[in-house]
Amino acid sequence: MKDLYASDALGADNSDVMASFGAPGMRHSIRPRRTVIDHEDEIDSDLPFEESLPISSASAAAAPYVSDDRVPRWQDLPVATPGPGGDMPLVDDHRNSAAARAFDLLRTRLRQTTFEHGWVNIAITAPTSGCGNTFSATNLALSLSRVPGSRTVLMDMNMRSPGLARAFDLESPGAMSDLLGGRVDLGQQMLRVSDTLALGLNDQAEVNAAEILQDSATAETLLRMRAALQPEIVLYDMPPMLEHDDLSAFLPQLDGVLLISDGSQTMARHLRECERMLEGQVPLLGIVLNRARTSSLPKYA
């Protein structure tokens, strides 16, 4: 895997990775939010998070887990070892960095919230492309996987531009659309990279991604996957929600959404529109600020 400070996966040179995500880092809160700033044109570093909790998603939470003896269990998944040539910074390589600590804090808050509400299915998305949602999904999954005895599944549902196989420097077994459509078995498509982390990879872009996500076969496949693997959390790396309707199409399968904003490009109006799209459907668990300005970050003794 690449050195944290030597990757340009987010479109930054080496110094930008350090300055915009590493030491100055990331801000986040795992609390369902109700309002964003109303008037600013640019994202405010002190964006407040309200305390009230929205109603949980009835659609995803109400769906029962039905056991199916035909699909493999967690221990039966093929094991793969991530390679050294991943195309984005992985904070596991720098456990003492500010970025690693930020993801660990995000992990703990997410676990507390999901366990409290019985939520499992969490989408990682962004308002627009280039905000770093695949980077964030990858590193959050790695942080979750460090919890002993846990089970996390990370699914590449960004069928517009699949990126998880490159992030882990692994060869994808095939197309995510084939898995979701029931044309390949779970054991053929899913890989386990550790005792606590499994991946659903994808090697094929899909023009009709939103239609695939709305297909009843997709819902059935994901139910069978959760019943067989019994994960604590399933993270779905999704395309930008203001550029495609994929996330909207997938909302019935979700318990919550984490939104990745970019301190250099995300505008308050982008966040307002994302909240409007989610309102009354799925809780917005929080906003992760990537590439935060150094001056906006609190200092602790």
Side-chain angles (χ1 to χ4, degrees):
M1 297 181 184
K2 282 192 178 181
D3 187 280
L4 174 64
Y5 309 122
S7 170
D8 59 358
L10 298 183
D13 60 24
N14 296 354
S15 60
D16 286 340
V17 172
M18 177 63 179
S20 61
F21 190 89
M26 176 178 76
R27 296 189 60 191
H28 53 72
S29 174
I30 297 296
R31 283 187 186 157
R33 305 181 62 249
R34 299 304 293 249
T35 32
V36 195
I37 328 175
D38 288 330
H39 304 296
E40 288 83 353
D41 288 331
E42 293 187 318
I43 186 168
D44 189 341
S45 62
D46 294 320
L47 193 66
F49 289 79
E50 297 196 2
E51 300 288 338
S52 56
L53 291 173
I55 300 173
S56 63
S57 168
S59 53
Y65 287 3
V66 181
S67 180
D68 187 340
D69 292 335
R70 296 172 298 173
V71 296
R73 300 301 189 259
W74 184 270
Q75 63 273 14
D76 301 324
L77 292 178
V79 177
T81 302
D87 70 346
M88 63 179 57
L90 298 176
V91 297
D92 265 24
D93 296 338
H94 293 264
R95 293 290 295 114
N96 292 323
S97 68
R101 293 192 297 272
F103 275 114
D104 287 349
L105 180 59
L106 178 61
R107 164 199 69 192
T108 301
R109 291 179 174 177
L110 179 62
R111 281 172 55 85
Q112 291 170 345
T113 300
T114 54
F115 291 173
E116 178 184 354
H117 294 87
W119 294 340
V120 175
N121 304 293
I122 308 300
I124 312 292
T125 186
T128 57
S129 58
C131 291
N133 54 295
T134 297
F135 167 71
S136 299
T138 298
N139 284 289
L140 178 56
L142 288 169
S143 182
L144 285 164
S145 73
R146 288 196 296 275
V147 177
S150 64
R151 289 184 181 181
T152 300
V153 172
L154 176 59
M155 302 288 288
D156 194 343
M157 304 298 261
N158 187 349
M159 289 184 279
R160 308 288 177 170
S161 180
L164 289 184
R166 295 193 307 273
F168 285 90
D169 192 20
L170 289 170
E171 184 175 347
S172 172
M176 178 63 68
S177 58
D178 288 337
L179 173 65
L180 298 178
R183 293 181 291 277
V184 300
D185 294 334
L186 190 71
Q188 295 177 268
Q189 186 71 23
M190 303 279 299
L191 301 172
R192 192 160 51 84
V193 294
S194 71
D195 290 339
T196 54
L197 179 59
L199 305 177
L201 303 178
N202 183 23
D203 65 0
Q204 182 174 309
E206 302 284 351
V207 175
N208 299 319
E211 289 80 2
I212 294 169
L213 293 173
Q214 294 179 75
D215 193 327
S216 60
T218 292
E220 181 180 349
T221 295
L222 294 176
L223 273 175
R224 292 174 65 233
M225 179 270 287
R226 295 191 298 270
L229 303 184
Q230 294 292 310
E232 293 176 356
I233 295 178
V234 183
L235 299 179
Y236 299 94
D237 183 29
M238 303 289 296
M241 62 184 299
L242 299 184
E243 296 181 7
H244 303 284
D245 64 333
D246 297 25
L247 183 80
S248 295
F250 198 58
L251 287 178
Q253 310 304 324
L254 296 174
D255 297 310
V257 173
L258 272 177
L259 191 63
I260 310 300
S261 67
D262 184 286
S264 65
Q265 70 179 49
T266 302
M267 313 292 277
R269 58 184 171 83
H270 296 148
L271 302 180
R272 288 196 299 269
E273 179 61 16
C274 291
E275 282 203 314
R276 185 193 66 78
M277 295 170 65
L278 296 174
E279 188 174 3
Q281 300 190 73
V282 172
L284 175 56
L285 301 182
I287 294 176
V288 177
L289 179 56
N290 192 18
R291 292 194 179 100
R293 294 187 298 269
T294 305
S295 60
S296 73
L297 295 168
K299 301 293 190 297
Y300 301 99

